[in-house]
Amino acid sequence: MQPASLAGTAAAAAAIAHLALVAPPTPAAASINDIRVDGAAVHVELEPRAFRDGGDAVREWVRRSASIVTGYYGRFPTPRLTVQVIAEAGDGVHGGKSFANPEAFIRVQVGREVSGAQLLADWVLVHEMAHLALPDTGEAHAWLSEGLATYVEGVARVQAGNRSEADVWAEEIRQMPRGMPQADDRGLDQTHTWGRTYWGGAMFCLLADVEIRKRSRNRFGLQDALRAVARASGGLAADWPIERVLRTGDEAVGTTTLEDLYTQMKDQPVTPDLMKLWEQLGIEPEGSSVHLSDSAPLAEVRRAIMRAP
């Protein structure tokens, strides 16, 4: 779902619902196109007459998004995926939902007047495809799924050359403070507001990524942990307790970072000093963008996070 369009607890609950492993409605008759990405079969269902170019730009958007996610995880998270494209009035990408029963299925709403430039800059489909790599851990842990998809989307697109590093860090500086605990916060597992679900989860990922790299002397990062989880579980179709997810990731990188952070943040408010962390990483706010300093203490960690393996 689209983080920027949601606000408040009620909206967050509606967004979280798409992670439930329920079968999507049977799609209406449509044109089916097969795209092969890293051996995975991606079926695209759309009505060509709904788009001025017969859907060519949309098909390329699906292929590009699948390639970006493949690059981050080392392989596409599932051997088969159906992407159903619903044409709506207007332009741009309007949102999406992911399912995993009986097989991986993503439904996205796209404006009939969508431009190639809008699709090139879109993040929605990469976000939804990233959901396919993580086992279902239950509604209480939706912050992990949404937070990972939010964090991975930016990093994966930088690694693929689809987004600039400065743009991603600038977005995090603007948005991540929304994930900070507010009054009456009871930790990530117990606080299901939009901010805590999306950006609180993304904050967990950033803290984990930096800490794994510090502990491993930059040999490993969160990306390595997530690749191991995806390989071992098979992704969203699997039901895993969150403890198993975190333990599997930690074992892959030789630390206890994920488990340690979860113990700290699951049932109590934790307010990290994000501005200090960004300063150490060499990320300096500069108007609406950022300046990246390579002389900062953790500059190499920052570069490694955004560097393709």
Side-chain angles (χ1 to χ4, degrees), residues 6 25 34 47 63 76 81 83 89 107 112 117 140 148 156 164 204 228 235 267 272 276 281 293:
L6 301 178
D34 291 346
E47 175 48 62
R63 185 208 62 76
F76 197 70
L81 167 66
V83 177
R107 181 185 295 113
R112 293 182 178 87
L148 277 172
S164 75
F204 176 94
D267 55 13
K276 181 179 179 180
L281 290 168
S293 170

Side-chain angles (χ1 to χ4, degrees), residues 237-305:
D239 291 306
W240 275 25
I242 191 171
E243 292 82 4
R244 184 178 180 185
V245 171
L246 303 179
R247 183 175 63 252
T248 300
D250 275 338
E251 289 174 352
V253 297
T255 77
T256 58
T257 299
L258 294 170
E259 293 164 291
D260 293 346
L261 270 178
Y262 179 59
T263 297
Q264 296 169 27
M265 302 179 74
K266 66 178 180 179
D267 55 13
Q268 58 188 341
V270 174
T271 306
D273 189 340
L274 289 178
M275 290 309 299
K276 181 179 179 180
L277 176 59
W278 285 319
E279 181 182 350
Q280 292 175 332
L281 290 168
I283 305 165
E284 304 167 358
E286 192 173 72
S288 61
S289 186
V290 295
H291 169 71
L292 302 179
S293 170
D294 288 339
S295 62
L298 296 179
E300 181 52 35
V301 167
R302 185 200 74 234
R303 290 193 293 267
I305 287 173

Side-chain angles (χ1 to χ4, degrees), residues 119-225:
L119 292 172
L120 184 64
D122 171 70
W123 58 266
V124 172
L125 193 50
V126 172
H127 180 103
E128 294 302 329
M129 287 179 173
H131 280 310
L132 303 177
L134 183 74
D136 180 60
T137 58
E139 193 169 310
H141 312 301
W143 62 266
L144 180 62
S145 178
E146 293 295 357
L148 277 172
T150 300
Y151 182 77
V152 166
E153 173 265 319
V155 175
R157 287 177 62 199
V158 171
Q159 291 184 355
N162 182 241
R163 193 175 176 189
S164 75
E165 180 181 348
D167 183 51
V168 172
W169 291 122
E171 180 186 36
E172 290 194 3
I173 285 179
R174 289 192 307 271
Q175 302 284 6
M176 199 167 282
R178 296 186 179 192
M180 287 290 197
Q182 303 299 314
D184 301 321
D185 189 278
R186 295 181 296 147
L188 290 171
D189 280 357
Q190 308 296 327
T191 309
H192 305 303
T193 61
W194 168 80
R196 290 292 267 162
T197 298
Y198 285 90
W199 287 106
M203 180 170 61
F204 176 94
C205 295
L206 172 63
L207 295 173
D209 209 349
V210 172
E211 188 62 24
I212 289 170
R213 292 191 176 279
K214 287 167 63 178
R215 294 190 189 185
S216 70
R217 297 184 180 180
N218 235 357
R219 292 181 58 239
F220 300 109
L222 181 63
Q223 186 169 8
D224 301 288

